[in-house]
Amino acid sequence: MPTRVHEFAWPDRVVVGTIGLPGARTFYLQVRAGTQIVSIALEKQQSALLAEKIDEILDQLITVEGNPFSVPTSTPIELVDNDQLEAVQEQFRAGAMSLGWDPTTAQVVVEAYPITDVEADDNDESLDEGGADEPEMLLVRMPVGTARAFAMRTREIVGAGRPTCSHCGYPIDADGHICTLPEA
């Protein structure tokens, strides 16, 4: 069965945002080009790692003699996007993700694949005849400035969660916190 690819070569918008309160947030990678919008659910750690690795790629590219890709050292102010997510209809929950660089277009490339259900692989009868279990993926290509803005926003979104306890390092819930210090 062919894979359905949600491809965005030059997206109008690509952001990570959340729905819910700190401690119970769901993270989404949302991409829009014109009227086409795709939202995939991510784990908080996936979001943080994606931002970190994008910045690493961009920082390495800056060191290339002459910076031929015009990689900005900081986020271009005109690309800052602090708006809320648009209407979210989850396409899938991301499992494996890959990150790369396309020098022919000077774009960061993000690929996301859904979490696979091992049980579905073992039981072919669970497949829906309507194609609901069609394999799919998200493919996003971001210009360097957009990628820098994406990474900055994502770090801010990840950091806007629950504060951490200075004693034990665990998150502090809104209704209180009891430290669980490791035994010595």
Side-chain angles (χ1 to χ4, degrees):
M1 179 180 303
T3 299
R4 180 177 178 203
V5 179
H6 306 280
E7 185 171 1
F8 294 86
W10 294 93
D12 298 325
R13 183 175 196 224
V14 53
V15 295
V16 165
T18 61
I19 295 178
L21 298 173
R25 298 184 297 170
T26 302
F27 285 74
Y28 290 96
L29 169 57
Q30 187 173 76
V31 190
R32 177 176 46 80
T35 59
Q36 180 189 12
I37 299 175
V38 172
S39 304
I40 64 167
L42 298 174
E43 294 297 325
K44 180 179 182 179
Q45 295 82 0
Q46 284 175 306
S47 302
L49 190 58
L50 184 58
E52 178 186 326
K53 294 301 182 185
I54 286 174
D55 271 339
E56 282 180 17
I57 286 174
L58 296 174
D59 291 345
Q60 287 176 1
L61 289 168
I62 287 172
T63 65
V64 174
E65 189 171 329
N67 191 4
F69 303 111
S70 299
V71 177
T73 56
S74 61
T75 301
I77 193 72
E78 66 275 9
L79 296 178
V80 172
D81 182 346
N82 291 322
D83 293 339
Q84 297 292 318
L85 291 173
E86 298 176 47
V88 173
Q89 291 185 341
E90 183 178 314
Q91 193 68 40
F92 59 84
R93 178 166 288 282
M97 296 183 76
S98 68
L99 184 61
W101 170 251
D102 184 348
T104 62
T105 60
Q107 291 178 306
V108 172
V109 181
V110 178
E111 295 179 354
Y113 301 87
I115 292 176
T116 57
D117 184 1
V118 175
E119 292 174 1
D121 293 340
D122 294 339
N123 183 4
D124 288 341
E125 294 175 349
S126 69
L127 295 178
D128 183 317
E129 286 185 28
D133 290 325
E134 172 185 32
E136 58 188 326
M137 69 170 289
L138 175 66
L139 173 61
V140 182
R141 297 173 178 277
M142 289 183 267
V144 292
T146 301
R148 189 66 87 182
F150 173 88
M152 182 187 82
R153 175 191 166 115
T154 302
R155 283 191 313 278
E156 290 172 356
I157 294 289
V158 167
R162 298 175 288 174
T164 56
C165 176
S166 61
H167 299 291
C168 67
Y170 287 104
I172 300 173
D173 292 323
D175 58 347
H177 173 73
I178 298 174
C179 286
T180 51
L181 295 173
E183 294 181 24

